[in-house]
């Protein structure tokens, strides 16, 4: 809530900007986007981008750190590195942001000497600082807008500015509360499981393994994602009631007697009682309470039978039994997975729920659960709860997960997108970029998953070798762990997210650097020497994987290329167009295609021969390739016909590009023939590839007929 009066002097020289309907509509769209941001960090990035866009300036967002009574810059849009460095941390009362935070109201500074950012950046002349307040007027942060002009906002703009700040503050408060709640939830789960592990050394890591099996079985049954997560969580917490069982019973090396067994049978009820007191864990109580029920009714604690047993409890109970059978105990050895499978088959419909038993058997047949996974303790996702383990163990776990993506090596983009996701899961809060070296241009390309559900991985950014920290690593083949990138001259800022630390390791293969694996984080000194060890161990495998992927890509490219021109062939054109249409639909963007036919090509072949005709096609294909962007596609559609695909482009823009291509062809000293063109655009001219091609083809022949040129 931004209070008035405002520390501002209105300049009569600057015309009033009314709060028009279109500005309000734009603000409404921005606020809807802010509400969808998942974390405080994402919200900060979205807010600075929106502030800069709405009000036509540059922006920075500081978070208020209560213990130190200081403001810390967490996101910036369009600010230079000197400005970022000057505003990195500010005490309350210092500069526009510090004054706004201290006074809890909008502050406008129009004198450069009054603000360290303005003083350090002569191209900036004005700052608006907007305090971000919670529902109880608690200071959460400050959003500052910087401008190149030196005139303050007029009063007509202030309601828009205040409304924007109010919503950013409330959205930030909501994300922070959710973040703290999630942290508390994770800490609670981790503490409970650690307490069980500490009390029962014979079953160490049993809870994590049961969670993994439970998830695999639930997914095999096709249960909804939310239910799968609850069942996995129940598997993790199924033995939490053992906290209330005496150590002399839990740690007994021999078989339990009758009294001790009666104590042990109480653990499901004790666990349900413990979890029921935590609102966030209440949903798993039925699964924990009944995981020792039997389908034939001879289980405990309530003797439920058949479908009266919650399916989640039946799944956890089966997973518990499988891990118990395949684990050693002081009083017996472990049985093999084959023996456990035979027992599940024998007890299906008696001890075990038939649906859960059938699903488990299918996972074994599909090799989702194998003898190797039974022996490899602690290889589950652990509900994304990070555990403190050594570098070698962490690297081994990561390599296991990365090796599971080997099947996607035939699609290097998909492999890299999956690798990004795995690395960001291992290093919470970090952003991952895998740079692949393009030796033909001495560039580094990074590929990430496109936004939205099911988005296709696309090239996102490029970097010259030697440029930035990652480029330096590629050039020198040496890892770099930079605790504060703002103090490193090599750092190049990209995007709105403000980063403090970067860890980059080279991907070396046979003495060559084929890429760079880079992690960045908004906190200073976020990566430890152990983190660097883990990344270096993983990098050797990733480098080999990239070489294999590159080989696959070269083979696939050869199959996609026309032998004469080196352009995409007919089949590859349609595959590329189908993918481009999928992306355009997912991102709600435009796409345009063009078909071209060589005028009078038959006469050229008849007069000069097919070799001369082939040379003309090669030269025309070269001109087409030279005048499109790297993300566009050029194909030899067939015979003397060519095709273009331009993503994110309208037909009008494509026609402008075709004029440039036509002029280049006319300037060719080989006196090349003209091309007749037909253009079509998605979505106006068609929703699928065949519709677009038909429209472009019809327009191409209409142009050819208009010229009255014989084919």
């Amino acid at each position: 809530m931004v209070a008035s009066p405002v520390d501002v002097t209105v300049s009569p020289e600057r015309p009033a900007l009314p709060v028009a309907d279109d500005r309000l509509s734009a603000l409404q769209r921005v606020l809807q986007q802010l509400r969808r941001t998942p974390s405080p960090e994402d919200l900060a990035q979205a807010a600075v981008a929106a502030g800069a866009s709405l009000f036509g300036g540059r922006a920075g967002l500081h978070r208020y750190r209560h213990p130190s009574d200081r403001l810390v810059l967490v996101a910036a849009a369009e600010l230079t590195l000197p400005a970022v460095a000057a505003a990195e941390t500010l005490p309350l009362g210092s500069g526009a942001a510090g004054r706004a935070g201290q006074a809890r109201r909008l502050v406008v500074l129009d004198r450069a000497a009054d603000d360290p950012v303005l003083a350090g950046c002569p191209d900036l002349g004005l700052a608006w600082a907007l305090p971000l307040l919670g529902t109880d007027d608690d200071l959460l942060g400050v959003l500052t807008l910087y401008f190149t002009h030196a005139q303050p906002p007029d009063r007509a703009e202030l309601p828009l500015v205040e409304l924007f700040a109010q919503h950013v503050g409330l959205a930030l408060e909501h994300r922070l509360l959710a973040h703290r709640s999630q942290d508390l939830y994770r800490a609670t789960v981790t503490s409970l499981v650690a307490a069980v592990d500490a009390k029962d050394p014979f079953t160490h890591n049993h809870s994590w393994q049961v969670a993994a099996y439970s998830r695999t079985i639930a997914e095999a049954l096709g249960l909804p994602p939310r239910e799968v997560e609850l069942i996995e969580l129940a598997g993790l917490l199924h033995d939490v009631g053992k906290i209330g069982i005496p150590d002399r019973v839990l740690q007994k090396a021999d078989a339990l007697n009758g009294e001790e067994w009666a104590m042990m049978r109480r653990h499901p009820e004790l666990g349900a009682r413990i979890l029921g007191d935590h609102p966030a864990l209440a949903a798993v109580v039925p699964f924990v309470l009944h995981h020792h029920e039997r389908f034939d009714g001879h289980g405990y604690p309530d003797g439920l039978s058949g479908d009266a047993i919650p399916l989640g409890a039946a799944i956890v109970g089966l997973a518990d039994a499988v891990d118990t059978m395949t684990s050693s105990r002081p009083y017996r050895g472990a049985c093999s997975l084959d023996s456990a499978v035979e027992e599940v088959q024998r007890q299906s419909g008696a001890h075990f729920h038939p649906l859960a038993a059938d699903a488990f058997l299918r996972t074994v047949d599909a090799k989702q659960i194998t003898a190797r996974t039974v022996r490899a303790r602690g290889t589950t996702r652990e509900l994304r709860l990070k555990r403190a383990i050594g570098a070698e163990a962490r690297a081994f776990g990561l390599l296991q997960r990365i090796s599971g993506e080997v099947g996607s090596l035939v699609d290097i983009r998909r492999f890299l997108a999956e690798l990004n996701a795995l690395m960001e899961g291992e290093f919470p809060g970090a952003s991952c970029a895998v740079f692949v070296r393009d030796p033909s241009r001495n560039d580094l390309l990074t590929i990430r998953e496109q936004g939205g559900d099911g988005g296709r991985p696309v090239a996102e950014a490029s970097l010259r070798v030697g440029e930035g920290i990652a480029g330096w690593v590629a050039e020198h083949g040496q890892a770099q762990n930079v605790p504060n990138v703002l103090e490193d001259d090599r750092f190049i800022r990209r995007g709105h997210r403000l980063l403090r630390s970067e860890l980059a390791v080279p991907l070396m293969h046979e003495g060559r650097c084929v890429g760079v694996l880079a992690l960045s984080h908004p906190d200073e000194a976020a990566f430890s020497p152990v983190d660097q060890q883990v990344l270096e161990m993983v990098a050797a495998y990733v480098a080999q994987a990239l070489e294999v992927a590159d080989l696959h890509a070269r083979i696939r490219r050869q199959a996609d290329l026309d032998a004469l021109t080196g352009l995409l062939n007919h089949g590859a054109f349609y595959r590329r167009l189908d993918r481009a249409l999928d992306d355009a639909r997912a991102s709600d963007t435009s796409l345009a295609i063009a078909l071209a036919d060589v005028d009078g090509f038959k006469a050229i072949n008849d007069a000069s021969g097919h070799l001369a005709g082939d040379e003309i096609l090669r030269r025309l294909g070269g001109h087409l390739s030279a005048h499109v962007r790297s993300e566009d596609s050029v194909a030899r559609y067939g015979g003397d016909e060519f095709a273009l695909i331009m993503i994110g482009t309208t037909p009008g823009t494509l026609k402008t590009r075709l004029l440039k291509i036509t002029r280049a062809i006319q300037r060719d000293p080989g006196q090349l023939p003209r091309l007749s063109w037909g253009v079509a655009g998605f979505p106006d001219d068609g929703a699928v590839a065949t519709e677009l091609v038909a429209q472009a083809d019809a327009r191409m022949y209409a142009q050819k007929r208009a010229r009255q040129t014989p084919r």
Side-chain angles (χ1 to χ4, degrees):
M1 286 61 177
V2 181
S4 292
V6 177
D7 184 7
V8 57
T9 302
V10 178
S11 170
E13 298 150 355
R14 189 164 180 253
L17 179 61
V19 184
D21 289 343
D22 56 344
R23 293 288 295 273
L24 287 173
S25 298
L27 178 60
Q28 186 177 22
R29 289 194 297 271
V30 164
L31 297 180
Q32 289 174 347
Q33 293 172 358
L34 292 181
R35 283 195 290 271
R36 292 195 292 267
T37 54
S39 69
E41 294 76 19
D42 292 329
L43 177 67
Q45 296 172 52
V48 295
S53 174
L54 278 172
F55 304 109
R58 308 175 190 180
L61 192 147
H62 287 79
R63 285 274 306 281
Y64 177 57
R65 306 299 188 191
H66 186 272
S68 62
D69 212 29
R70 298 179 74 83
L71 295 168
V72 177
L73 191 64
V74 295
E78 309 301 331
L79 286 179
T80 61
L81 281 178
V84 169
E88 184 174 3
T89 58
L90 297 172
L92 288 182
S94 172
R99 284 174 57 181
Q102 188 175 54
R104 304 287 207 281
R105 59 177 177 162
L106 172 65
V107 169
V108 175
L109 290 184
D110 55 5
R111 292 193 309 160
D114 292 338
D115 190 280
V117 176
L118 299 179
C121 301
D123 62 323
L124 300 177
L126 175 70
W128 302 356
L130 304 132
L132 305 176
L133 306 176
T135 51
D136 295 325
D137 281 345
D138 294 328
L139 180 63
L140 305 175
V142 178
L143 176 67
T144 309
L145 304 173
Y146 299 96
F147 301 92
T148 54
H149 56 76
Q151 296 178 22
D154 59 67
R155 298 195 184 279
E157 291 178 87
L158 294 183
L160 196 66
V161 174
E162 292 182 347
L163 182 63
F164 178 64
Q166 284 179 14
H167 282 273
V168 172
L170 293 175
L172 179 59
E173 181 182 48
H174 180 74
R175 298 300 176 281
L176 290 172
L177 288 173
H179 195 67
R180 289 171 193 146
S181 176
Q182 186 71 6
D183 284 346
L184 179 62
Y185 164 76
R186 291 179 177 179
T188 300
V189 172
T190 305
S191 298
L192 289 171
V193 177
V196 175
D197 276 354
K199 281 182 67 71
D200 191 355
F202 299 139
T203 60
H204 179 67
N205 212 40
H206 168 70
S207 298
W208 297 103
Q209 203 71 30
V210 171
Y213 293 159
S214 297
R215 183 182 187 94
T216 303
I217 296 168
E219 288 175 338
L221 284 168
L223 297 179
R226 171 61 180 160
E227 193 169 348
V228 171
E229 295 293 334
L230 287 175
I231 291 170
E232 182 182 24
L233 182 58
L236 187 64
L237 295 170
H238 74 287
D239 274 347
V240 73
K242 289 183 178 179
I243 293 172
I245 305 299
D247 289 351
R248 64 179 176 82
V249 176
L250 281 178
Q251 299 176 11
K252 186 177 180 181
D254 301 323
L256 302 180
N257 61 33
E259 180 189 359
E260 293 163 342
W261 181 238
M263 290 183 187
M264 184 66 80
R265 284 165 61 103
R266 294 179 54 225
H267 80 269
E269 295 173 278
L270 292 173
R273 232 178 277 163
I274 292 169
L275 300 177
D277 290 335
H278 195 300
L281 301 175
V284 304
V285 166
F287 302 158
V288 172
L289 177 62
H290 297 297
H291 75 276
H292 276 298
E293 306 285 2
R294 291 172 50 117
F295 195 74
D296 58 13
H298 294 155
Y300 62 91
D302 295 331
L304 299 182
S305 64
D307 291 333
I309 304 170
L311 182 57
I315 291 170
V316 172
L318 189 148
D320 181 26
V322 168
D323 190 62
T324 299
M325 286 187 280
T326 55
S327 303
S328 296
R329 294 291 186 269
Y331 49 86
R332 61 159 177 81
C335 76
S336 67
L337 177 61
D338 289 340
S339 297
V341 166
E342 291 175 4
E343 182 66 10
V344 171
Q345 288 172 325
R346 189 174 66 83
Q347 290 289 338
S348 178
H351 189 149
F352 303 119
H353 195 300
L355 287 177
D358 290 346
F360 167 72
L361 296 173
R362 288 200 306 273
T363 64
V364 174
D365 288 341
K367 300 193 183 308
Q368 293 170 294
I369 293 177
T370 66
R372 180 183 175 191
T373 60
V374 166
R375 288 194 300 271
R377 317 300 295 171
T379 58
T380 77
R381 70 185 66 218
E382 300 177 353
L383 295 178
R384 301 189 181 277
L385 302 177
K386 188 173 176 62
R387 305 182 81 194
I389 53 178
E392 291 184 2
R394 284 176 61 193
F396 179 71
L398 262 175
L399 289 174
Q400 280 191 313
R401 281 173 275 164
I402 293 170
S403 66
E405 300 300 330
V406 167
S408 64
L409 281 178
V410 294
D411 185 343
I412 188 170
R413 291 183 167 186
R414 179 185 160 204
F415 172 74
L416 291 179
E418 295 293 340
L419 179 62
N420 274 324
L422 288 172
M423 299 305 298
E424 290 175 1
E426 175 65 21
F427 297 90
S431 298
C432 176
V434 186
F435 291 92
V436 181
R437 191 164 186 167
D438 180 355
S440 64
R441 299 189 304 176
N442 207 33
D443 279 354
L444 295 168
L445 303 178
T446 179
I447 298 170
R448 290 183 57 85
E449 186 80 15
Q450 193 175 28
D453 293 339
R456 294 182 178 277
V458 294
E460 186 180 72
S462 63
L463 204 64
R464 298 288 296 175
V465 171
E467 181 183 36
I469 295 171
W472 188 95
V473 169
E475 184 176 35
H476 295 85
Q478 299 174 16
Q480 293 290 290
N481 189 350
V482 181
N484 189 347
V485 295
L486 298 181
E487 297 176 356
D488 194 304
D489 293 338
R490 299 169 298 179
F491 176 62
I492 297 175
R493 185 170 58 86
R494 293 177 175 273
H496 300 317
R497 191 182 191 198
L498 192 62
L499 303 172
R500 287 296 195 290
S501 49
E502 184 168 335
L503 171 59
V505 300
L507 303 175
M508 305 297 294
H509 181 73
E510 296 181 351
R512 296 180 297 110
C513 180
V514 298
V516 176
L517 184 56
L519 297 174
S520 54
H521 200 284
D523 293 343
E524 191 171 324
F527 304 110
S528 68
V530 173
D531 291 332
Q532 181 173 336
Q533 281 182 273
V534 171
L535 217 59
E536 288 175 335
M537 293 178 195
V538 169
Y541 180 87
V542 173
Q544 292 178 348
L546 287 180
E547 286 297 291
V548 173
D550 186 53
L551 177 60
H552 281 297
R554 288 199 299 269
I555 294 171
R556 189 176 63 252
R557 280 197 299 270
Q558 290 302 316
D560 285 348
L561 298 183
D562 170 63
L564 176 64
T565 62
L567 304 177
L568 295 178
N569 56 34
H570 184 274
F573 164 77
Y574 273 100
R575 289 191 293 274
R576 191 71 57 87
L577 181 55
D578 284 337
R579 289 200 299 270
L581 284 169
D582 286 344
D583 290 341
R585 278 188 287 268
S587 58
D588 194 25
T589 56
S590 57
L591 176 148
I593 70 165
L595 289 184
D597 183 90
V598 182
D599 291 346
F601 189 69
K602 184 177 184 304
I604 294 173
N605 272 339
D606 291 344
S608 304
H610 288 282
L611 290 178
D614 288 349
E615 178 59 23
I616 286 173
L617 293 177
R618 275 193 291 267
R619 293 176 73 88
L620 288 172
H623 283 294
L624 296 177
S625 298
H627 288 84
V628 298
R629 303 167 302 180
S630 59
E631 62 265 36
D632 299 327
S633 301
V634 184
R636 184 185 178 194
Y637 189 76
D640 60 338
E641 292 183 337
F642 295 92
L644 298 181
I645 305 171
M646 296 192 71
I647 61 176
T649 301
T650 63
T653 303
L654 177 52
K655 288 177 182 177
T656 301
R657 182 62 58 93
L658 296 181
L659 287 175
K660 294 180 181 179
I661 294 174
T662 299
R663 294 192 190 103
I665 291 172
Q666 290 172 345
R667 291 193 298 268
D668 190 288
Q671 296 183 332
L672 297 176
R674 291 186 305 180
L675 294 176
S676 292
W677 293 98
V679 175
F682 169 84
D684 294 341
D685 293 321
V688 296
T690 52
E691 293 174 350
L692 289 176
V693 170
Q695 283 282 11
D697 193 53
R699 290 166 182 167
M700 176 185 72
Y701 277 100
Q703 186 184 90
K704 187 177 285 288
R705 284 193 299 270
R707 290 176 174 172
Q708 296 182 342
T709 301
R711 186 170 168 78

